[in-house]
Amino acid sequence: MRSEAVQQYLNRHGFEALSLKAVLFDMDGVLFDSMPTHAKAWYKTAVHFSLPLTEKEAYEHEGRTAKSTLDLLFQRKEQRNATPEEVKTIYDYKIQIYNSYNLETHPMPGAPALLQKVRQDGYQIILVTGSGQDTLTSRLQRFYPDIFHKDTMVTGKSVKQGKPSPEPYLLGLKVGQLHPWEAIVVENAPLGVRSAVSAGIFTIAVNTGPMDDSILLAEHPNMLLHSMEELNEKWEEIARSFC
Ligand code: MG
């Protein structure tokens, strides 16, 4: 039966029905428990280059491309955008720090089981991430074998603006040949939620990090959950509520 959240979504956008064909997944903090390491690496990088960023803020800016994050920090410090050379040098340094932690990346608990279900239910699975790391495809293949394919992946390298612009999620719809009412998004970051909501897609925010719910709720997701395990447990009920 159609839930209140779905009815509100339809009313807001003037759509008649949500006819689910695909699920668009963000990556960091959704498929992988990688955000604490990313936040730490961004913080250390900022300290090294004397850029103003706290570790907590790194969570709040999650989803931005490297360029967008660095433009923001350079605007704060020197009232100008970062040059392409600065973006390359600083982002390379950040990736080096991230890799130096030498931590095994773990899938987010509940996410592999959920993706299996979504696939078995016959929905298309599309990745929409701000990350542009070269190791991304091999990491996905290792932990989510044969689920993601190059032609259904939107990465930081595929877009100009990145989240919070609707661009990455609009591109996600395009690669899947989907209308906004034929997909849902699973996101953990406030800027990712803003991007998905402004692309007109039903958005499930999953608060997998240390942020207050209020920061995510301020971006008007259609639903808020607190772990991928919870989403996995409630998947059947949620999928039924779209009809
Ligand atoms: Mg994320």
Short mmCIF file of all heavy atoms in Angstrom, two decimals, residues 46-72:
data_model
loop_
_atom_site.label_atom_id
_atom_site.label_comp_id
_atom_site.label_asym_id
_atom_site.label_seq_id
_atom_site.Cartn_x
_atom_site.Cartn_y
_atom_site.Cartn_z
N ALA A 46 44.21 18.98 4.90
CA ALA A 46 43.94 20.41 5.11
C ALA A 46 44.99 21.02 6.04
O ALA A 46 45.50 22.11 5.77
CB ALA A 46 42.54 20.59 5.69
N VAL A 47 45.34 20.28 7.09
CA VAL A 47 46.36 20.79 8.02
C VAL A 47 47.69 20.96 7.27
O VAL A 47 48.35 21.99 7.37
CB VAL A 47 46.53 19.82 9.23
CG1 VAL A 47 47.76 20.18 10.06
CG2 VAL A 47 45.27 19.84 10.09
N HIS A 48 48.04 19.96 6.46
CA HIS A 48 49.32 19.98 5.74
C HIS A 48 49.42 21.19 4.81
O HIS A 48 50.47 21.81 4.67
CB HIS A 48 49.48 18.69 4.94
CG HIS A 48 50.77 18.58 4.20
ND1 HIS A 48 51.95 18.21 4.80
CD2 HIS A 48 51.10 18.84 2.90
CE1 HIS A 48 52.92 18.23 3.92
NE2 HIS A 48 52.44 18.60 2.74
N PHE A 49 48.31 21.52 4.14
CA PHE A 49 48.32 22.64 3.19
C PHE A 49 47.77 23.94 3.80
O PHE A 49 47.44 24.88 3.07
CB PHE A 49 47.53 22.28 1.92
CG PHE A 49 48.22 21.24 1.07
CD1 PHE A 49 47.89 19.89 1.20
CD2 PHE A 49 49.21 21.60 0.17
CE1 PHE A 49 48.53 18.92 0.42
CE2 PHE A 49 49.85 20.63 -0.61
CZ PHE A 49 49.51 19.29 -0.48
N SER A 50 47.66 23.96 5.13
CA SER A 50 47.14 25.13 5.86
C SER A 50 45.79 25.60 5.32
O SER A 50 45.57 26.80 5.09
CB SER A 50 48.13 26.30 5.79
OG SER A 50 49.35 25.91 6.32
N LEU A 51 44.89 24.66 5.10
CA LEU A 51 43.54 25.01 4.65
C LEU A 51 42.55 24.82 5.80
O LEU A 51 42.69 23.89 6.59
CB LEU A 51 43.14 24.12 3.46
CG LEU A 51 43.97 24.33 2.19
CD1 LEU A 51 43.71 23.20 1.20
CD2 LEU A 51 43.67 25.68 1.57
N PRO A 52 41.56 25.71 5.88
CA PRO A 52 40.65 25.67 7.03
C PRO A 52 39.54 24.63 6.90
O PRO A 52 38.55 24.85 6.21
CB PRO A 52 40.07 27.09 7.06
CG PRO A 52 40.13 27.54 5.63
CD PRO A 52 41.25 26.81 4.96
N LEU A 53 39.70 23.48 7.56
CA LEU A 53 38.66 22.42 7.54
C LEU A 53 38.77 21.59 8.82
O LEU A 53 39.86 21.18 9.20
CB LEU A 53 38.89 21.49 6.33
CG LEU A 53 37.94 20.30 6.21
CD1 LEU A 53 36.60 20.73 5.60
CD2 LEU A 53 38.55 19.19 5.35
N THR A 54 37.63 21.35 9.48
CA THR A 54 37.64 20.46 10.64
C THR A 54 37.23 19.06 10.18
O THR A 54 36.66 18.90 9.10
CB THR A 54 36.64 20.93 11.72
OG1 THR A 54 35.32 20.82 11.17
CG2 THR A 54 36.90 22.36 12.16
N GLU A 55 37.52 18.08 11.04
CA GLU A 55 37.18 16.69 10.69
C GLU A 55 35.66 16.52 10.59
O GLU A 55 35.16 15.82 9.72
CB GLU A 55 37.76 15.76 11.76
CG GLU A 55 38.02 14.37 11.25
CD GLU A 55 38.84 13.54 12.23
OE1 GLU A 55 39.81 14.06 12.80
OE2 GLU A 55 38.47 12.37 12.41
N LYS A 56 34.95 17.21 11.49
CA LYS A 56 33.49 17.13 11.50
C LYS A 56 32.93 17.70 10.19
O LYS A 56 32.00 17.15 9.60
CB LYS A 56 32.96 17.91 12.70
CG LYS A 56 31.48 17.74 12.95
CD LYS A 56 31.11 18.28 14.33
CE LYS A 56 29.60 18.38 14.45
NZ LYS A 56 29.08 19.62 13.86
N GLU A 57 33.52 18.80 9.75
CA GLU A 57 33.07 19.42 8.49
C GLU A 57 33.27 18.51 7.29
O GLU A 57 32.53 18.57 6.32
CB GLU A 57 33.85 20.71 8.23
CG GLU A 57 33.22 21.94 8.78
CD GLU A 57 34.05 23.14 8.38
OE1 GLU A 57 35.29 23.06 8.44
OE2 GLU A 57 33.45 24.14 8.01
N ALA A 58 34.33 17.69 7.37
CA ALA A 58 34.60 16.77 6.26
C ALA A 58 33.39 15.86 6.00
O ALA A 58 33.07 15.54 4.86
CB ALA A 58 35.84 15.94 6.55
N TYR A 59 32.69 15.49 7.07
CA TYR A 59 31.46 14.69 6.91
C TYR A 59 30.37 15.51 6.23
O TYR A 59 29.63 15.01 5.40
CB TYR A 59 30.93 14.24 8.27
CG TYR A 59 31.65 13.05 8.85
CD1 TYR A 59 32.70 13.21 9.75
CD2 TYR A 59 31.27 11.75 8.51
CE1 TYR A 59 33.36 12.12 10.29
CE2 TYR A 59 31.92 10.66 9.05
CZ TYR A 59 32.96 10.84 9.94
OH TYR A 59 33.61 9.76 10.46
N GLU A 60 30.27 16.77 6.66
CA GLU A 60 29.17 17.59 6.14
C GLU A 60 29.36 17.94 4.67
O GLU A 60 28.41 18.18 3.95
CB GLU A 60 29.02 18.86 7.01
CG GLU A 60 28.49 18.49 8.39
CD GLU A 60 28.60 19.62 9.40
OE1 GLU A 60 28.67 20.78 9.01
OE2 GLU A 60 28.61 19.30 10.61
N HIS A 61 30.63 17.96 4.21
CA HIS A 61 30.89 18.27 2.81
C HIS A 61 31.02 17.02 1.95
O HIS A 61 31.33 17.11 0.76
CB HIS A 61 32.15 19.13 2.67
CG HIS A 61 31.97 20.50 3.21
ND1 HIS A 61 31.08 21.39 2.66
CD2 HIS A 61 32.51 21.12 4.28
CE1 HIS A 61 31.10 22.51 3.36
NE2 HIS A 61 31.95 22.37 4.36
N GLU A 62 30.79 15.87 2.56
CA GLU A 62 30.91 14.62 1.81
C GLU A 62 30.03 14.65 0.57
O GLU A 62 28.91 15.14 0.59
CB GLU A 62 30.45 13.45 2.70
CG GLU A 62 30.75 12.13 2.03
CD GLU A 62 29.86 11.02 2.53
OE1 GLU A 62 29.33 11.10 3.65
OE2 GLU A 62 29.68 10.05 1.76
N GLY A 63 30.58 14.10 -0.51
CA GLY A 63 29.81 14.03 -1.75
C GLY A 63 30.32 15.02 -2.77
O GLY A 63 30.15 14.84 -3.97
N ARG A 64 30.94 16.09 -2.29
CA ARG A 64 31.50 17.06 -3.24
C ARG A 64 32.66 16.40 -3.99
O ARG A 64 33.34 15.54 -3.45
CB ARG A 64 32.10 18.27 -2.49
CG ARG A 64 31.08 19.22 -1.94
CD ARG A 64 31.81 20.47 -1.43
NE ARG A 64 30.92 21.29 -0.64
CZ ARG A 64 30.07 22.18 -1.16
NH1 ARG A 64 29.99 22.35 -2.46
NH2 ARG A 64 29.29 22.89 -0.38
N THR A 65 32.92 16.87 -5.22
CA THR A 65 34.13 16.44 -5.90
C THR A 65 35.32 17.09 -5.19
O THR A 65 35.15 18.06 -4.43
CB THR A 65 34.14 16.90 -7.38
OG1 THR A 65 34.06 18.33 -7.39
CG2 THR A 65 32.98 16.31 -8.16
N ALA A 66 36.52 16.58 -5.47
CA ALA A 66 37.73 17.15 -4.86
C ALA A 66 37.84 18.64 -5.21
O ALA A 66 38.13 19.48 -4.35
CB ALA A 66 38.96 16.40 -5.33
N LYS A 67 37.56 18.98 -6.46
CA LYS A 67 37.67 20.39 -6.89
C LYS A 67 36.71 21.29 -6.12
O LYS A 67 37.08 22.36 -5.66
CB LYS A 67 37.42 20.51 -8.40
CG LYS A 67 37.42 21.96 -8.84
CD LYS A 67 37.42 22.16 -10.32
CE LYS A 67 37.17 23.61 -10.70
NZ LYS A 67 37.80 24.64 -9.86
N SER A 68 35.48 20.80 -5.97
CA SER A 68 34.47 21.60 -5.27
C SER A 68 34.87 21.81 -3.81
O SER A 68 34.74 22.91 -3.27
CB SER A 68 33.12 20.90 -5.40
OG SER A 68 32.20 21.45 -4.52
N THR A 69 35.38 20.76 -3.17
CA THR A 69 35.82 20.89 -1.77
C THR A 69 36.97 21.89 -1.68
O THR A 69 36.97 22.78 -0.82
CB THR A 69 36.31 19.51 -1.24
OG1 THR A 69 35.26 18.58 -1.39
CG2 THR A 69 36.72 19.59 0.22
N LEU A 70 37.92 21.77 -2.59
CA LEU A 70 39.10 22.66 -2.52
C LEU A 70 38.76 24.10 -2.89
O LEU A 70 39.29 25.04 -2.29
CB LEU A 70 40.23 22.09 -3.40
CG LEU A 70 40.81 20.79 -2.82
CD1 LEU A 70 41.74 20.11 -3.80
CD2 LEU A 70 41.52 21.05 -1.49
N ASP A 71 37.84 24.28 -3.85
CA ASP A 71 37.39 25.65 -4.16
C ASP A 71 36.81 26.31 -2.91
O ASP A 71 37.09 27.47 -2.61
CB ASP A 71 36.32 25.64 -5.26
CG ASP A 71 36.94 25.47 -6.65
OD1 ASP A 71 38.18 25.58 -6.77
OD2 ASP A 71 36.18 25.21 -7.60
N LEU A 72 36.01 25.52 -2.20
CA LEU A 72 35.38 26.04 -0.98
C LEU A 72 36.43 26.48 0.05
O LEU A 72 36.34 27.55 0.65
CB LEU A 72 34.51 24.93 -0.41
CG LEU A 72 33.54 25.28 0.68
CD1 LEU A 72 32.12 25.16 0.11
CD2 LEU A 72 33.67 24.31 1.84
#
